[in-house]
Amino acid sequence: MGLVARDWRTALPDWESRILERKSLIPPNLKLFDFEAEKALRIFKRLRVPDIEGYPTHGEACDEWVFDLVRVIFGSYDVSIKRRMIQEYFLLVPKKNGKSSVAAAVMVTAAIMNRRPAAELLLIAPTKKIADIAFKQAHGIIKLDKELSKLFYAQSHQRTITHRRTEAAIMIKAADTDVVTGSKATFILVDETHEFAKKANAADIFTEIRGSLAARPDGFMIQITTQSKDEPAGVFKSELQTARDVRDGKVDLPLLPVLYELPYAIQDAEGDLWQDERYWPMINPNYGRSVDPVFLRTQLTKAKRSADSRAAMALLASQHFNIQIGLRQRTDSWAGSEFWLKSADRVTSLEDLIRRSEVVVVGIDGGGLDDLLGLAVLGRDRGTGKWLLWCRAWAHSIVLVRRMEIADRLKDFENEGTLTFVDKPGDDVRDVADIVMKIEDAGKLAEGAAIAVDAAGIGAIVDELTSEDRGLEKERIVGIAQGWKLNGAIKDTERKVAGGELIHDGSALMAWCIGNAKAEQRGNAVTINKQASGTAKIDPLMAVFDAVSLMSMNPEPAGSAYEDEDVLV
């Protein structure tokens, strides 16, 4: 027996075939409490939709997939022991599928079904604008029903709707303006989880609101969201991955994932298969209702004709078709990005790179306190001649304050082990120097020019590496001019990546940096620079180009060939 009783396990291993056949994404094994399920569904269906002409009921406006979800949310409650057998729900559904309307109606239904005196029902939106929309939706539902108008009263300035008899209160809060701490909520609905990835305190907010459920086994937490407009990061990445793991049967939790996304083989296929209209109803459950096929066709045509069609297509794919943004769909335009993740081989560690390489060069790039210090170690495989790449980055802890919009993403890289936070300037340079000396001590560092550094930031690196303790000759450190002068290195990197001749460590850090890279055509040269990429960091990628500048010169190792263990054998 796992964490969840057999009748309440929510894994759906055949989800791909169910998506393609437009079958329900609710596991068929669930043994619902029918009285609670049907009562809640009758209430939900009766509620009117305030933003559709004619004010139809949700029973008229919604499709069966919504009713299935409502049945499970309320039918999982065991009245006899006052416990909800499934406490969490994660709904991933594209825009225009009635998320806001369903969210508001579920919370109103919960307020009516609730048995706990003075219960708190918390609807959390990432911004004030979304919170205002959510309140307008819930308030509109109440106003359109005479009986509900008698049962509830609203306080618009506080975005609160209170049940007159039980004193249960629906409170709509905005994470960017309202205090979301000390929560005692029994019922929680989080709207647009993907937007929380931009908030540095998102993880704390989720910990806080989840904590309230520990003392309220009758409660639930529902997340309703579309895909992220960028590569998933922070709390959204974590929540989405947990939902996928439960769906795939990798972990057993009292969580129901309902994820309208195409099988990965279709998402990642060349030629953007998601544009084929036969797939659209599979991931848009309200297709033909609130999702208009003509609208989708129009948006697709506009995106293709847009001045920045790549960015427009990526946005359309993520928001209306739940296509997860990856390197191939990113809004960058560096040619190498399309091939970056295709290499089947990987560099597993720095030691692995040193062992396999006949010669190694190093690229270093960094800026101020709110920049990353990027390190690229590039080796040449002794057997195949292929290039082997291992990258790391360092950041001063102040970047978490100065660049809050990427703070959670940087923490993801820290957890990955590819980024290190330092509290004192200089600690990062010493770490980099330690790695350089490890390569030197192994006899693999190139003879002559071996360490390439952004010419604008060479001082601290030179001082550390040429210090008495390190002892490297100054001539082995070269400044690499940036801008158009990097064109050759950029092109060489593109060719090596596209041809499968560059093998890297497959880190999320580098995938992010490459996705951030913005290429600009200047005459016959392609430039990639930090200014074009804004606050999204690319320093480790620039370090790669610095290292490629040296490797392209076909360097030789500093040690004698007779020191190579293979030669001795």
Side-chain angles (χ1 to χ4, degrees):
M1 183 67 69
L3 292 172
V4 181
R6 180 175 301 170
D7 290 345
W8 297 101
R9 290 179 184 168
T10 56
L12 199 68
D14 61 340
W15 70 271
E16 291 189 345
S17 62
R18 284 178 168 269
I19 281 282
L20 296 178
E21 295 169 17
R22 298 192 69 182
K23 291 182 178 179
S24 173
L25 298 184
I26 305 297
N29 62 289
L30 301 179
K31 305 298 183 183
L32 303 180
F33 298 99
D34 289 335
F35 178 81
E36 292 292 308
E38 296 307 320
K39 179 181 177 181
L41 187 57
R42 287 195 301 272
I43 294 170
F44 179 87
K45 285 185 172 181
R46 168 185 160 182
L47 303 178
R48 295 194 173 275
V49 185
D51 58 352
I52 295 181
E53 186 178 356
Y55 308 129
T57 64
H58 280 78
E60 296 166 335
C62 295
D63 210 333
E64 194 63 33
W65 72 276
V66 178
F67 304 147
D68 288 345
L69 181 61
V70 172
R71 284 192 190 97
V72 177
I73 293 172
F74 295 98
S76 63
Y77 181 59
D78 188 341
V79 179
S80 64
I81 60 173
K82 298 181 180 179
R83 174 176 289 277
R84 200 169 301 274
M85 307 309 291
I86 302 176
Q87 273 205 298
E88 292 202 33
Y89 302 82
F90 192 100
L91 173 61
L92 180 73
V93 64
K95 285 185 178 298
K96 303 299 181 182
N97 281 280
K99 293 191 314 300
S100 298
S101 178
V102 169
V106 164
M107 294 305 273
V108 172
T109 302
I112 297 170
M113 293 286 292
N114 165 62
R115 293 173 172 84
R116 180 184 288 268
E120 291 184 6
L121 297 92
L122 186 61
L123 196 160
I124 306 175
T127 65
K128 181 180 181 299
K129 180 179 179 180
I130 297 176
D132 288 340
I133 293 171
F135 176 78
K136 184 177 180 181
Q137 199 78 19
H139 192 199
I141 290 172
I142 300 295
K143 290 193 297 182
L144 287 171
D145 190 303
K146 291 182 179 179
E147 296 302 318
L148 292 183
S149 296
K150 297 175 184 176
L151 195 59
F152 291 91
Y153 68 92
Q155 295 171 287
S156 299
H157 64 291
Q158 294 182 343
R159 295 195 216 97
T160 300
I161 301 170
T162 305
H163 193 293
R164 296 180 187 274
R165 296 175 187 168
T166 64
E167 296 185 353
I170 302 172
M171 297 177 290
I172 290 90
K173 291 184 177 290
D176 60 347
T177 57
D178 299 329
V179 177
V180 190
T181 57
S183 172
K184 296 181 180 179
T186 302
F187 306 104
I188 303 159
L189 194 148
V190 180
D191 194 11
E192 296 292 17
T193 307
H194 75 92
E195 291 286 352
F196 283 82
K198 303 173 184 177
K199 303 186 180 302
N201 64 336
D204 294 336
I205 291 175
F206 274 66
T207 299
E208 186 78 31
I209 60 179
R210 268 203 178 94
S212 66
L213 293 181
R216 293 165 179 79
D218 54 326
F220 63 62
M221 176 178 173
I222 304 172
Q223 299 182 57
I224 300 181
T225 184
T226 60
Q227 252 297 353
S228 174
K229 298 174 184 177
D230 300 296
E231 187 177 356
V235 70
F236 177 65
K237 177 182 178 181
S238 175
E239 297 292 324
L240 177 58
Q241 190 58 54
T242 297
R244 285 172 172 164
D245 287 346
V246 171
R247 176 196 62 188
D248 298 343
K250 296 179 180 179
V251 63
D252 193 18
L253 293 172
L255 180 153
L256 175 63
V258 180
L259 310 176
Y260 283 95
E261 56 182 358
L262 287 170
Y264 302 137
I266 296 176
Q267 290 198 45
D268 296 335
E270 296 291 344
D272 293 326
L273 278 182
W274 60 268
Q275 296 181 32
D276 189 331
E277 287 194 33
R278 62 178 167 148
Y279 294 120
W280 296 1
M282 300 173 186
I283 43 175
N284 285 281
N286 267 23
Y287 196 76
R289 286 179 176 264
S290 59
V291 177
D292 181 9
V294 175
F295 170 81
L296 293 181
R297 292 187 203 110
T298 301
Q299 295 307 305
L300 181 59
T301 300
K302 288 181 177 179
K304 288 180 177 179
R305 294 173 58 84
S306 171
D308 190 355
S309 62
R310 195 167 184 175
M313 291 290 283
L315 182 62
L316 179 68
S318 68
Q319 297 302 286
H320 290 281
F321 301 98
N322 269 354
I323 303 297
Q324 180 167 315
I325 296 295
L327 286 185
R328 204 171 56 77
Q329 294 89 16
R330 297 298 291 257
T331 58
D332 68 282
S333 54
W334 180 53
S337 65
E338 294 192 28
F339 307 94
W340 184 257
L341 296 179
K342 291 187 176 181
S343 172
D345 196 5
R346 285 285 182 264
V347 173
T348 58
S349 64
L350 176 61
E351 291 73 20
D352 177 48
L353 183 146
I354 292 174
R355 177 183 58 80
R356 295 164 64 179
S357 298
E358 61 179 353
V359 64
V360 176
V361 296
V362 175
I364 304 170
D365 187 278
L369 289 181
D370 54 355
D371 271 329
L372 304 184
L373 173 61
L375 169 71
V377 178
L378 186 62
R380 187 172 65 225
D381 189 287
R382 70 177 68 185
T384 65
K386 291 183 177 182
W387 291 358
L388 310 175
L389 179 65
W390 181 86
C391 297
R392 289 296 183 268
W394 287 258
H396 193 281
S397 53
I398 199 171
V399 76
L400 298 175
V401 178
R402 292 186 177 178
R403 295 288 183 263
M404 293 180 68
E405 65 274 23
I406 61 172
D408 276 354
R409 196 178 293 273
L410 296 181
K411 290 177 182 177
D412 287 342
F413 303 142
E414 181 187 30
N415 293 334
E416 182 186 48
T418 54
L419 184 144
T420 301
F421 286 104
V422 297
D423 294 323
K424 188 169 61 175
D427 288 349
D428 48 0
V429 173
R430 281 187 286 275
D431 285 351
V432 168
D434 287 342
I435 292 172
V436 173
M437 296 312 299
K438 184 174 183 176
I439 301 167
E440 170 74 354
D441 292 342
K444 299 296 181 71
L445 197 62
E447 186 176 33
I451 303 155
V453 184
D454 179 353
I458 198 171
I461 299 294
V462 171
D463 291 344
E464 182 64 30
L465 289 175
T466 58
S467 66
E468 187 174 342
D469 291 338
R470 308 291 188 181
L472 279 181
E473 299 87 353
K474 191 171 184 179
E475 293 73 22
R476 299 180 74 185
I477 308 170
V478 296
I480 301 295
Q482 305 295 294
W484 65 269
K485 293 184 179 180
L486 268 182
N487 179 66
I490 294 171
K491 293 294 185 182
D492 285 345
T493 307
E494 289 174 5
R495 285 192 290 269
K496 288 289 184 178
V497 172
E501 294 293 310
L502 189 151
I503 301 167
H504 54 84
D505 56 7
S507 69
L509 168 71
M510 285 306 296
W512 179 64
C513 292
I514 288 168
N516 292 335
K518 303 295 188 293
E520 296 179 346
Q521 192 74 35
R522 295 189 178 180
N524 294 324
V526 173
T527 66
I528 295 177
N529 58 68
K530 300 176 185 178
Q531 287 74 23
S533 299
T535 59
K537 306 303 180 184
I538 61 171
D539 306 88
L541 178 60
M542 300 305 292
V544 171
F545 296 144
D546 292 339
V548 168
S549 296
L550 296 184
M551 187 59 78
S552 297
M553 298 171 66
N554 198 28
E556 294 296 329
S560 166
Y562 292 101
E563 295 173 2
D564 190 297
E565 59 182 4
D566 288 350
V567 174
L568 291 175
V569 172

